[in-house]
Amino acid sequence: MLDTDTKRRIDTARDILVGKVPDPKSQVEQITIALIYKFMDDMDAEAEELGGKRKFFTGSFARFGWNKLMHAGLGGHETLNLYAEGITTMPQNPGIPLLFRDIFKNAYLPYRDPETLKSFLKIIDEFSYDHSERLGDAFEYLLSVLGSQGDAGQFRTPRHIIDFIVSIVDPKKNETILDPACGTAGFLISAYKHVLASNTDAKGNVKLTPSEKGRLAQNIKGYDISPDMVRLSLVNLYLHGFSDPHIVEYDTLTSEDRWNEFADVILANPPFMSPKGGIKPHKRFSIDAKRSEVLFVDYMAEHLTANGRAGIIVPEGIIFQSQGAYKELRKMLVKNSLVAVISLPAGCFNPYSGVKTSILILDKSIAKQSDTIGFFKVENDGFGLGAQRRAMDGSDLPQVKAEIDAYFHALRNCKPTDDLNPTCGLIVPKKKIAENGDYNLSGERYRETRQQSTHYPWYKIESLVETITPPTKIQKTSFGESGRFPIIDQSQEEIAGWTDDESSLIRPSKPLVIFGDHTCAVKLIERPFAQGADGIKILQTVDNLDPRFLYRLLRARPLESSGYQRHFSKLKEYEIPLPPLEVQKEIVAEIEGYQKVIDGNRELIARFEKKIQATLDRIWGENES
């Protein structure tokens, strides 16, 4: 657990640097380098106390020792020059192990202000080397400031999401564990902690032998294309007890050097962003693609051992994009290794990114004997979805974890899954996913009926509406500017113009619902109108269905987009609850009351915005005059 003094020191160190080093990643790098510098001197001092000898700051490097830097008689510029030379020459120090040389590789001091450096080193001096978990947690807190998304689309994965994925994949003590886009090694450290916890007795004693712990550390590996991330990973693992962490600077997508290395467990949140023009991968991938997210998932699926497992965070494009590479990837996953898809809420990665993501769970041994895939949905991950991500009650993660465990248990024991009926998801046959060739991995697409949490009867929309065809289609070129009646235009799916041509009008006795075949857009039209083109369905409701009620229901739960001419056929099969007509009208009136309040506040906001702008314009005008 992070103690308040350590947190204060880290915050103070960042505050000192921020004026000279505004980039958060550079701040983390400077603090990391200084801490390791200080810790090497601490270890030398400890060795001397135990009757040994110094090994880090000896020979020509003795003059860079921490006590020399902190000597009261050393001037500001002398301190600056000594420290700057120390960190840049440390990779040539024969007394330090390769791990520390890698940490100091390409290190430098990005500012030349002696006062800033002296204040910074004074705070670092308050830290002392300790292999305890407390120090590792302190470094995890330091890494948490890496809030901005990187150039390659990488961003920090929240700790509770990492731990959730690791708990599902459940790595074991003798398994090889890999993250091919490891960042700061969060997944690898979580996997290490998970294995230790799984081998701890009731008294809190770890049951692993020294050789088993050594083998576990050897089996945990990571790659990253960024030397800065490699450095941070090395330090993070070192501070969590890894004396020789295996993190390699490696381009997973374009290099073939490690193609023949496989893993029992793969855990990753790979970069989502592809450079302009796409990735230029080598030719050994099974999927022909240039998108980084496709290639990373392909890589991980192909580099699992025969009974390997994986937990991978992916953007929504992997789930339903229609391009050939995405479909081929999904087809390969469904056939070979995919066992579950977990949908995460869109704000899960705030404040780093608002991107919508899902988790793919691969398990080659289960997939071989299963003809289904489980779909699970997390709506509350235990934190608010705003920028602050404040903790809140009611997390779905424990329930989703329990349901996935029950599903996997049934599959491993060749038991039927029909009776599971998960509350946070559904179980879908693979043949249904493969039916139209898209291999869409959006779980809601396969839900045959809506969860009927109401006591009102449910009906298919097909039995509640009639489709009306207008007698005349008025082309967009015929739109008038001064007519009285709106026209629905297929290309925009909105009121696009007016006409005086009353011969082409429909005169409904009550409002009509307009359903857009291209995008599932829904409109409510209360006046006579004419249709502008194909692609729009005009729905007349039966007597016991208020069209406003249907409109509100369809707006609240829109159909998923799936291509031209498919939406209306899906709409006919859509089921909705049907309260008595009077209840429908009460519900509509309540909703419209809320809407009026919203609209009124919007008008109020707009008026205040105009006043603010007018005030600022006046100030500008006064200054300019």
Side-chain angles (χ1 to χ4, degrees):
M1 193 73 178
L2 180 67
D3 63 274
T4 55
D5 284 342
T6 303
K7 181 178 181 297
R8 175 192 59 78
R9 293 183 190 119
I10 291 173
D11 291 340
T12 302
R14 289 190 60 227
D15 290 342
I16 291 169
L17 290 176
V18 72
K20 302 295 181 181
V21 187
D23 175 47
K25 188 175 79 168
S26 297
Q27 294 167 15
V28 171
E29 289 172 358
Q30 290 302 310
I31 295 172
T32 299
I33 291 166
L35 285 174
I36 294 299
Y37 195 119
K38 168 71 163 56
F39 294 160
M40 289 194 304
D41 196 276
D42 286 352
M43 286 186 278
D44 270 353
E46 184 180 25
E48 283 187 321
E49 289 176 7
L50 297 174
K53 295 181 178 181
R54 286 181 171 264
K55 61 179 180 179
F56 297 124
F57 293 99
T58 60
S60 63
F61 282 85
R63 65 192 183 94
F64 297 119
W66 190 263
N67 287 335
K68 303 288 195 304
L69 278 175
M70 302 303 294
H71 191 273
L74 198 65
H77 285 285
E78 292 173 297
T79 302
L80 188 145
N81 291 331
L82 186 63
Y83 180 72
E85 185 181 354
I87 62 176
T88 55
T89 59
M90 202 60 69
Q92 286 80 52
N93 185 345
I96 68 175
L98 178 61
L99 166 65
F100 288 173
R101 288 183 213 160
D102 287 339
I103 291 171
F104 283 98
K105 183 179 178 182
N106 299 321
Y108 71 99
L109 190 65
Y111 58 91
R112 304 296 298 177
D113 178 32
E115 292 305 314
T116 297
L117 179 64
K118 294 206 77 162
S119 299
F120 173 67
L121 294 180
K122 184 178 178 181
I123 289 295
I124 297 298
D125 192 50
E126 296 181 15
F127 290 91
S128 61
Y129 178 71
D130 182 341
H131 251 311
S132 71
E133 183 65 21
R134 181 171 54 85
L135 191 56
D137 286 341
F139 193 69
E140 284 292 300
Y141 173 70
L142 176 61
L143 295 179
S144 72
V145 308
L146 295 177
S148 57
Q149 182 171 315
D151 294 336
Q154 70 269 39
F155 45 81
R156 180 176 175 269
T157 312
R159 169 60 52 194
H160 67 292
I161 298 298
I162 289 177
D163 293 341
F164 171 67
I165 295 172
V166 169
S167 69
I168 291 172
V169 177
D170 190 24
K172 301 294 194 295
K173 65 181 181 180
N174 293 322
E175 292 181 318
T176 54
I177 302 168
L178 171 68
D179 184 344
C182 67
T184 59
F187 272 107
L188 300 179
I189 289 170
S190 178
Y192 177 69
K193 292 179 179 178
H194 176 85
V195 174
L196 293 183
S198 301
N199 293 274
T200 300
D201 61 24
K203 295 181 179 180
N205 301 312
V206 177
K207 296 183 291 184
L208 298 179
T209 65
S211 62
E212 286 176 327
K213 288 189 72 173
R215 190 183 311 116
L216 172 62
Q218 289 290 321
N219 284 342
I220 293 178
K221 302 176 182 179
Y223 313 147
D224 203 283
I225 192 174
S226 166
D228 296 334
M229 290 296 106
V230 170
R231 178 185 303 164
L232 295 177
S233 289
L234 290 171
V235 174
N236 203 8
L237 286 164
Y238 181 76
L239 295 181
H240 280 85
F242 288 69
S243 59
D244 183 26
H246 297 283
I247 304 296
V248 179
E249 185 180 335
Y250 180 68
D251 188 343
T252 305
L253 303 185
T254 63
S255 175
E256 298 183 59
D257 294 348
R258 297 178 178 272
W259 184 261
N260 294 325
E261 297 180 11
F262 294 82
D264 300 310
V265 171
I266 296 180
L267 302 158
N269 176 14
F272 297 167
M273 190 178 296
S274 300
K276 190 174 182 180
I279 303 289
K280 295 180 180 178
H282 53 74
K283 302 299 182 183
R284 300 183 70 175
F285 288 91
S286 64
I287 306 297
D288 183 12
K290 293 185 178 181
R291 300 290 303 176
S292 63
E293 66 267 29
V294 175
L295 291 168
F296 265 114
V297 176
D298 181 18
Y299 180 93
M300 288 181 261
E302 290 194 59
H303 284 78
L304 289 173
T305 54
N307 294 314
R309 308 180 304 287
I312 312 166
I313 296 175
V314 297
E316 287 300 275
I318 293 290
I319 302 299
F320 59 77
Q321 281 279 11
S322 60
Q323 289 95 324
Y326 290 90
K327 289 196 288 187
E328 283 300 312
L329 176 66
R330 293 194 295 266
K331 180 178 179 180
M332 181 265 285
L333 293 174
V334 169
K335 288 188 173 183
N336 299 331
S337 56
L338 184 66
V339 290
V341 180
I342 306 167
S343 175
L344 295 175
C348 193
F349 287 90
N350 280 334
Y352 319 117
S353 173
V355 66
K356 174 73 177 72
T357 60
S358 291
I359 303 166
L360 304 182
I361 304 297
L362 313 185
D363 190 318
K364 288 182 129 181
S365 61
I366 292 180
K368 291 174 186 174
Q369 60 197 53
S370 171
D371 58 1
T372 61
I373 290 176
F375 291 89
F376 302 89
K377 187 173 185 178
V378 175
E379 293 184 346
N380 177 358
D381 70 330
F383 293 84
L385 299 178
Q388 299 302 318
R389 294 287 279 147
R390 293 187 175 90
M392 59 186 293
D393 295 331
S395 172
D396 297 331
L397 296 182
Q399 180 65 28
V400 171
K401 170 68 166 53
E403 292 181 1
I404 289 176
D405 286 347
Y407 175 54
F408 287 177
H409 178 77
L411 294 181
R412 289 192 180 99
N413 292 277
C414 299
K415 293 182 179 180
T417 59
D418 299 342
D419 299 332
L420 292 179
N421 193 26
T423 59
C424 294
L426 68 159
I427 297 167
V428 181
K430 290 181 181 179
K431 63 180 181 180
K432 187 169 184 179
I433 297 171
E435 273 179 354
N436 63 2
D438 284 345
Y439 288 86
N440 190 296
L441 298 180
S442 175
E444 290 302 310
R445 176 176 183 146
Y446 304 106
R447 191 178 295 280
E448 295 182 355
T449 57
R450 296 286 179 183
Q451 289 185 359
Q452 300 187 5
S453 57
T454 171
H455 61 277
Y456 299 122
W458 289 62
Y459 295 90
K460 288 185 178 181
I461 286 181
E462 183 178 30
S463 65
L464 300 175
V465 300
E466 296 178 2
T467 305
I468 298 177
T469 304
T472 304
K473 292 181 180 180
I474 300 177
Q475 300 302 317
K476 191 172 182 180
T477 54
S478 302
F479 289 173
E481 295 295 334
S482 59
R484 292 173 293 156
F485 305 110
I487 297 174
I488 302 302
D489 173 49
Q490 171 257 331
S491 65
Q492 298 178 14
E493 298 199 2
E494 61 186 6
I495 297 174
W498 306 88
T499 180
D500 287 320
D501 185 359
E502 297 193 16
S503 65
S504 65
L505 301 179
I506 295 176
R507 298 182 178 277
S509 58
K510 58 182 178 178
L512 300 176
V513 176
I514 310 301
F515 180 76
D517 201 22
H518 284 292
T519 62
C520 300
V522 181
K523 303 287 182 184
L524 187 73
I525 299 300
E526 302 200 32
R527 294 189 289 174
F529 72 96
Q531 186 181 11
D534 292 329
I536 300 296
K537 303 299 180 183
I538 305 169
L539 308 179
Q540 175 71 73
T541 58
V542 296
D543 290 341
N544 62 336
L545 174 59
D546 189 310
R548 295 180 180 85
F549 182 71
L550 174 62
Y551 166 72
R552 292 295 179 181
L553 288 180
L554 294 180
R555 294 280 290 185
R557 296 285 179 89
L559 271 70
E560 179 190 339
S561 179
S562 62
Y564 182 65
Q565 293 296 340
R566 295 181 186 172
H567 304 138
F568 187 60
S569 60
K570 288 176 63 177
L571 176 71
K572 292 191 294 185
E573 298 297 316
Y574 203 70
E575 289 190 357
I576 62 170
L578 191 67
L581 192 59
E582 288 305 313
V583 175
Q584 295 176 40
K585 291 179 178 179
E586 290 173 4
I587 293 171
V588 169
E590 181 180 359
I591 293 171
E592 290 180 348
Y594 296 146
Q595 189 63 53
K596 287 179 181 177
V597 173
I598 293 170
D599 293 341
N601 282 321
R602 283 176 181 160
E603 291 178 6
L604 184 62
I605 291 169
R607 287 202 298 269
F608 280 121
E609 286 177 340
K610 288 180 180 178
K611 289 183 178 180
I612 291 170
Q613 188 61 47
T615 301
L616 293 173
D617 288 343
R618 187 178 69 251
I619 294 171
W620 278 110
E622 290 173 355
N623 289 338
E624 289 171 353
S625 61

